[in-house]
Amino acid sequence: MKSLFAFVIKYNFIFVFFFLQIICAWLMVHHQGFQGSHVLNSSNMAVANVYRTAANTKEYFSLKQENDRLGNENAMLRNFLKTNYTILPLKQFVKNDTLYKQQYSYISAKAVNSSVNKRRNFLTLNIGSEQGVKQDMAVMTTDGIVGIVTNVSANFSSVMSVLHKDVRVNCQLKKDGSYGPLVWDGKDYRYCLLTDIPTHAKIKAGDTVITSELSGIFPEGIMVGTIESYERRQNESFYTARVKLSANLKKVNHVYVINNRFKTERDSLEAQTQKQIDD
Amino acid sequence: MTTEILKNIARFILLVLMQVLLVQNINLTTYVILLPYVLLIIMLPFETPKLVVLFTAFALGASIDYFYDSSGLHASACTIMGFARYYVLKYIAPREGYDAGVQPTIEDMGLAWFLRYAGTLIIIHHFFLFYLEVFRFSEFFRTLLRVMLSSVGTFGLIYLIQFLFFTKRVRT
């Protein structure tokens, strides 16, 4: 026994070395990741504190950048505050007219003011230039046409209703395409007059009237009304038809403003051609 | 004697902090891992008893393990290095042995000696560290490359530290 101790003490260096290596091996084997070894538990506080202090110090170097980022995020989040918004059901959807490759986009709006009892009737819509409304845009409801935008402010617009002395919308008979201007005679808000229908057109009561592409303002095919009656006036080679409007202009509420994307181009081209003809 | 102990304790803390807070974040490549904390073992005075060297090495390795989350890896490598230090010193000792009051630095012992001494210890340390980390022979040559490149890197950094902090010539 004694010689064993003497042996160990003589070679203590090597024995201690192996002893420490066994401890290291135990530590390595018991490396469990999350739980770790019990040995490391209390000391981890010290380690964590050192790292935490270092991280706090490093944070100071990026303060300006972090402040800028937080400022921008605050501004963006403020924009979402409900108090910033008036409830505006603004929906836009796009219709692709493949025939003429025109693009019509529809802006949803509400009529806040409308009249039917004057000779020149107007509506006021709750959207304006900031929502993309421009002069001469067409206005319709789901039932039929309503009018044409005439004045635009930032958030409101004025619409000349079809019940307006100076409004002429070019419409056509759905069944054979005979077209003519739609005007209002000022008498009944439910009826307009479709004039200049050629006599060879097979017109009948109950025929559907829709917008024609010649209007330049309305897209083709929007419902206008139905033929109530027609007559051939004296000294005229055309029919004049009484059209019952499909849209009830006394109760206009939800409307669509139609944006014809190609309109400016078309208008300038037509003006150019007109100018050339006149010269 | 106590001043020596205090000096070494200070070196211990400083080297561990430097390793953990600064050098750990230096990402050169996966092949070059810098571990200048081994400088502590290298710079222990010649007269330090070999058991003290052994325990100091173990403590140093364990401290680094806590920070690196490597659970015994560095402790093992450092203990081996501490064990080897005794034999390396014996083997490359100058003919008259080491003078009293001399420190194992480049300044006192010359670059050639230091290269042999520190270089050997660093290679031993890195060898065991990287192979234990991988714990298989399949990546033998890649690990060997890591050992070589990291040893060069660590030695370079240690040389730099020696030059900056432990050269008396600069101060006078």
Side-chain angles (χ1 to χ4, degrees):
Chain A
M1 208 57 212
K2 228 176 166 186
S3 54
L4 183 65
F5 280 140
F7 178 72
V8 168
I9 288 165
K10 186 174 175 208
Y11 292 103
N12 61 357
F13 186 50
I14 299 173
F15 278 109
V16 169
F17 170 65
F18 277 116
F19 174 69
L20 287 175
Q21 281 299 313
I22 288 167
I23 294 178
C24 293
W26 180 82
L27 281 172
M28 282 194 278
V29 165
H30 280 260
H31 180 54
Q32 300 230 10
F34 287 104
Q35 299 96 322
S37 182
H38 290 302
V39 182
L40 301 174
N41 229 356
S42 53
S43 309
N44 259 341
M45 272 286 284
V47 170
N49 274 325
V50 171
Y51 277 139
R52 193 167 58 92
T53 316
N56 280 340
T57 319
K58 275 190 233 173
E59 235 185 347
Y60 274 100
F61 291 110
S62 55
L63 265 182
K64 182 178 188 311
Q65 202 183 9
E66 198 63 17
N67 272 332
D68 286 341
R69 190 185 69 80
L70 286 171
N72 284 333
E73 199 178 343
N74 271 333
M76 190 199 73
L77 287 172
R78 273 182 188 276
N79 278 326
F80 287 120
L81 283 177
K82 203 173 174 193
T83 49
N84 282 335
Y85 291 87
T86 57
I87 296 176
L88 192 74
L90 193 76
K91 281 175 235 160
Q92 263 197 332
F93 54 95
V94 174
K95 168 185 157 184
N96 247 326
D97 189 332
T98 51
L99 205 56
Y100 290 99
K101 291 188 179 55
Q102 279 181 333
Q103 243 185 350
Y104 298 101
S105 64
Y106 295 75
I107 311 170
S108 162
K110 278 185 123 170
V112 297
N113 186 19
S114 69
S115 63
V116 293
N117 48 15
K118 307 189 197 71
R119 189 66 184 90
R120 297 190 180 90
N121 290 301
F122 285 92
L123 298 100
T124 312
L125 303 182
N126 66 346
I127 55 172
S129 58
E130 288 194 7
Q131 288 78 17
V133 180
K134 294 202 251 302
Q135 206 180 22
D136 287 343
M137 281 192 181
V139 183
M140 63 178 268
T141 66
T142 41
D143 294 327
I145 62 168
V146 167
I148 302 168
V149 176
T150 162
N151 275 324
V152 181
S153 70
N155 289 299
F156 295 96
S157 25
S158 283
V159 177
M160 282 197 306
S161 145
V162 289
L163 310 174
H164 189 289
K165 187 159 93 74
D166 302 327
V167 170
R168 296 162 75 88
V169 182
N170 199 299
C171 298
Q172 61 185 5
L173 293 174
K174 188 172 181 181
K175 68 176 184 191
D176 63 5
S178 324
Y179 56 85
L182 187 81
V183 291
W184 189 49
D185 55 4
K187 290 175 189 160
D188 196 329
Y189 72 90
R190 291 170 296 171
Y191 296 97
C192 282
L193 292 177
L194 183 64
T195 59
D196 296 352
I197 305 289
T199 46
H200 61 77
K202 296 185 188 66
I203 191 166
K204 232 175 35 187
D207 283 344
T208 312
V209 180
I210 56 174
T211 53
S212 80
E213 79 270 15
L214 298 170
S215 77
I217 290 177
F218 282 92
E220 192 199 359
I222 303 215
M223 183 71 181
V224 176
T226 50
I227 305 278
E228 172 102 341
S229 62
Y230 61 95
E231 63 179 2
R232 185 176 166 177
R233 290 191 180 158
Q234 286 178 320
N235 301 328
E236 280 180 5
S237 48
F238 295 100
Y239 285 128
T240 304
R242 216 160 114 89
V243 179
K244 184 175 192 322
L245 292 173
S246 53
N248 186 349
L249 280 124
K250 207 168 189 190
K251 289 186 189 166
V252 174
N253 196 358
H254 232 105
V255 299
Y256 296 104
V257 179
I258 306 167
N259 179 13
N260 180 350
R261 301 253 175 99
F262 285 41
K263 188 172 189 302
T264 31
E265 186 189 331
R266 176 177 157 171
D267 284 351
S268 65
L269 182 65
E270 284 173 352
Q272 243 186 351
T273 319
Q274 192 65 38
K275 201 157 161 279
Q276 280 179 340
I277 293 171
D278 291 341
D279 287 342
Chain B
M1 220 282 282
T2 40
T3 46
E4 282 298 315
I5 296 176
L6 285 175
K7 263 202 320 195
N8 281 296
I9 291 174
R11 262 185 227 153
F12 187 109
I13 295 170
L14 281 173
L15 279 170
V16 169
L17 284 177
M18 182 191 75
Q19 174 72 39
V20 156
L21 296 176
L22 295 175
V23 181
Q24 191 182 44
N25 298 320
I26 300 176
N27 290 316
L28 293 172
T29 63
T30 46
Y31 289 104
V32 181
I33 312 286
L34 300 173
L35 304 161
Y37 70 87
V38 296
L39 184 62
L40 182 74
I41 308 303
I42 292 170
M43 281 198 67
L44 281 175
F46 289 111
E47 304 86 20
T48 320
K50 39 187 205 273
L51 279 181
V52 173
V53 173
L54 210 53
F55 281 114
T56 316
F58 181 77
L60 180 68
S63 310
I64 298 292
D65 274 337
Y66 284 148
F67 284 96
Y68 271 55
D69 258 314
S70 48
S71 194
L73 208 62
H74 287 83
S76 182
C78 281
T79 321
I80 295 173
M81 179 187 171
F83 181 75
R85 184 187 120 119
Y86 173 70
Y87 295 102
V88 170
L89 277 177
K90 225 165 57 163
Y91 191 68
I92 62 170
R95 234 173 301 127
E96 299 88 20
Y98 298 105
D99 304 326
V102 160
Q103 282 196 317
T105 62
I106 300 174
E107 196 198 359
D108 283 348
M109 303 298 296
L111 183 59
W113 178 89
F114 191 79
L115 192 63
R116 277 178 288 159
Y117 166 63
T120 315
L121 285 180
I122 289 171
I123 289 178
I124 291 171
H125 176 267
H126 286 37
F127 183 89
F128 282 100
L129 183 70
F130 289 119
Y131 275 101
L132 277 173
E133 193 183 8
V134 175
F135 215 73
R136 59 179 87 94
F137 282 114
S138 56
E139 297 178 7
F140 182 76
F141 286 108
R142 165 129 40 110
T143 316
L144 195 62
L145 188 65
R146 286 180 90 195
V147 169
M148 289 300 140
L149 291 177
S150 303
S151 303
V152 172
T154 307
F155 184 83
L157 193 54
I158 282 178
Y159 179 81
L160 208 67
I161 294 171
Q162 284 260 301
F163 187 72
L164 287 172
F165 295 109
F166 298 105
T167 323
K168 292 199 192 76
R169 282 171 291 176
V170 183
R171 289 187 198 132
T172 52

